[in-house]
Structure formats: structure tokens, C-alpha cells
Amino acid sequence: MRIDELLKGAIQRLYSISETAQLDAQLLLAHVLAVSTSYFYTWPEKEVSAADISRFNGLLERRESGEPVAYLLGQQSFWSLNLEVAPCTLIPRADTERLVEVALSVLDIGDVNRILDLGTGTGAIALSLASERPRSTVVGVDLVEESVALAKRNAIRNQLSNATFIQSSWFEALEGNLFDLIVSNPPYIDPDDEHLSQGDVRFEPKSALVADNHGMADIEYIIQVAPRFMKQGAYLMFEHGYDQAIAVQTCFVEAGFIAVESFQDLGGNDRVTIGRLK
């Protein structure tokens, strides 16, 4: 079967379950054929072998069941990086790049800083900051051992030597350490949120998504404990839900932080809130 015929059928199959059916189909076929998606526009008439069609159909079936494309490919682009992804942790999303942008805005490029990423997952945030601030050192922690191993592989994959990753339940393994900046994309979804049964998140670990107290429990804990691990004047910042900015700001103020401010994502939703230690 020709490439263009194969893609046309695949797009039709995915149309009802994905808003990006064409892109999904192209990415999956490019993965099978080990080519870039631009190849399809140059060689649409190329014949695809029976073995590759079989592999492609297998991936399409998994996508039809709702499995995220990133898990099917085993990788995801984030910031300037290409990251290995796995079902042990969340898939990095474009909204989280806003947290990276805000973090970089408080870090002068020539300064030597110590940065902590809590709940690092794939290492996306930590490695993005490490790549943009090479004189700084970044520590990423995660409760899940498999995620720590994944983040370490991503550091090697992206040739970044100024980021290290350790297993820790939040600050548990960090006694005696002080940081200039702490960032986190913690679990912040209400356990009763109906979106947990929809789309890609059905395949992602609930422990990385859900927090008690309407999604605020982990954010509240981090704000209370973080000052013990922050240098004077250091920043703490979170990614959070679109409707949680006021609650997060309140927690910061009640804990004595100053310069509390929220920033919007590309969709115009409050997505990142920061505070500075007096």
C-alpha cells in the first residue's frame, strides 16, 4: 500500500477519537518507517511493506483505545529537548513550558544558582533550566524510582551534566541543602475531577495527577516546608490548575512570602504562581 493511501485510512480511523488525527497518524507512521514527517510530502507514492503496515496497525489500535501518542513513540519534545517518556510518569506538556519561562525570568544568565525541581518526573523542567543556565546546578527529586532513572537517562540523552536526580518524597532526602529557586509541577487535580476519566490522562499515573483538598494538599505542604530549604530572597513557584491561582496566592501570603504573583499560559489561564522568601 502507498504511503498516502495508508495515511488517509489511518486519519479516518483516528478522526473520532483525536483532535489531531492527521498529526497522530503521521507521527506513528514516521516512527515505524524511521523517517521524518516531511518524507510523506516528498514520497507519498512510496510503497510500505507488509511488516511495516502490521506494526503501524498495531500502533493505531493502541491509539484508538486512547493511549497517548507520546507513550506509543516513547518520546516527547519539550522546550529545546527531546525526552524519553514512559507510563511511570506524566507526559511533559506545553503548558509547563510557562513555568520554565517564569523560572528563567528570575535567574540571571551569568549567575551561579542552586535550583530544585520537586516531583521531576521525566526531568523536563529540571533539564530545561539546566540547559538554559549552564553555570547553575539543578537537583530533581521524585518519589518514584523508575521516574528518577528515566530523568537520569534524559540528562544523558540531552548531554546535560549540571543536573542530578535523586529519589525523595518531596524534601525528605534534602536536609541541609539550600536553594536559590524551587520549582514544582505537583499533583493538583481534584480526585473527583471528571477529566480524570477522559483523554490521555486515563493512561497516566494518578499519583502524579491527584491531590487531596481539592487538589491543593501537595502545594500547601510544599509552601509550608520549603522555607527551610531556601536561601534568603529565594523564589518558590508552581504550575497549578487554571482555577487555583487565588488559593495558591493565599497560601503563599499566609506563609509569609512576598512578591506573590500569577502568570498566564498561552490559553490565557492563570497557570504559574510564584512567591519570594523574605
Side-chain angles (χ1 to χ4, degrees), residues 127-185:
L127 293 171
S128 297
L129 296 175
S131 71
E132 297 290 345
R133 298 292 184 265
R135 297 188 64 192
S136 295
T137 57
V138 186
V139 178
V141 303
D142 202 284
L143 177 64
V144 180
E145 185 177 359
E146 293 88 346
S147 296
V148 174
L150 176 63
K152 289 179 178 179
R153 293 197 299 274
N154 278 325
I156 295 170
R157 182 186 184 110
N158 290 278
Q159 300 180 323
L160 293 167
S161 59
N162 58 325
T164 58
F165 299 95
I166 59 176
Q167 185 177 9
S168 178
S169 176
W170 299 132
F171 299 97
E172 191 174 77
L174 298 171
E175 287 298 335
N177 285 273
L178 294 175
F179 298 92
D180 300 283
L181 169 67
I182 300 176
V183 298
S184 185
N185 177 16

Side-chain angles (χ1 to χ4, degrees), residues 57-272:
N57 281 327
L59 292 175
L60 285 177
E61 289 174 5
R62 292 169 63 186
R63 182 62 186 133
E64 284 177 301
S65 73
E67 193 168 347
V69 171
Y71 285 161
L72 298 176
L73 301 179
Q75 63 182 18
Q76 175 82 355
S77 295
F78 181 87
W79 200 250
S80 61
L81 312 174
N82 181 270
L83 302 172
E84 177 188 345
V85 298
C88 64
T89 191
L90 299 183
I91 299 166
R93 289 174 168 81
D95 282 345
T96 303
E97 292 186 349
R98 187 64 175 125
L99 179 59
V100 175
E101 291 174 348
V102 175
L104 292 174
S105 73
V106 303
L107 297 172
D108 290 336
I109 194 165
D111 288 351
V112 179
N113 292 296
R114 298 199 72 226
I115 303 167
L116 172 63
D117 177 22
L118 292 169
T120 197
T122 61
I125 299 168
L127 293 171
S128 297
L129 296 175
S131 71
E132 297 290 345
R133 298 292 184 265
R135 297 188 64 192
S136 295
T137 57
V138 186
V139 178
V141 303
D142 202 284
L143 177 64
V144 180
E145 185 177 359
E146 293 88 346
S147 296
V148 174
L150 176 63
K152 289 179 178 179
R153 293 197 299 274
N154 278 325
I156 295 170
R157 182 186 184 110
N158 290 278
Q159 300 180 323
L160 293 167
S161 59
N162 58 325
T164 58
F165 299 95
I166 59 176
Q167 185 177 9
S168 178
S169 176
W170 299 132
F171 299 97
E172 191 174 77
L174 298 171
E175 287 298 335
N177 285 273
L178 294 175
F179 298 92
D180 300 283
L181 169 67
I182 300 176
V183 298
S184 185
N185 177 16
Y188 58 72
I189 298 177
D190 189 315
D192 296 325
D193 193 313
E194 62 181 13
H195 295 97
L196 291 169
S197 61
Q198 302 171 6
D200 289 0
V201 296
R202 292 175 296 161
F203 292 82
E204 296 179 278
K206 294 296 183 287
S207 61
L209 292 165
V210 171
D212 291 334
N213 191 22
H214 306 290
M216 286 293 298
D218 289 314
I219 291 174
E220 291 170 344
Y221 174 80
I222 292 169
I223 288 175
Q224 290 299 318
V225 178
R228 289 172 40 205
F229 299 87
M230 298 172 69
K231 297 179 183 178
Q232 184 176 0
Y235 283 93
L236 172 62
M237 58 184 67
F238 298 96
E239 176 182 333
H240 53 70
Y242 73 95
D243 58 351
Q244 293 175 321
I246 298 301
V248 178
Q249 289 176 16
T250 300
C251 289
F252 267 122
V253 172
E254 289 179 348
F257 283 81
I258 61 173
V260 176
E261 186 177 2
S262 294
F263 298 83
Q264 294 183 334
D265 59 21
L266 291 175
N269 298 306
D270 288 329
R271 184 62 60 186
V272 174

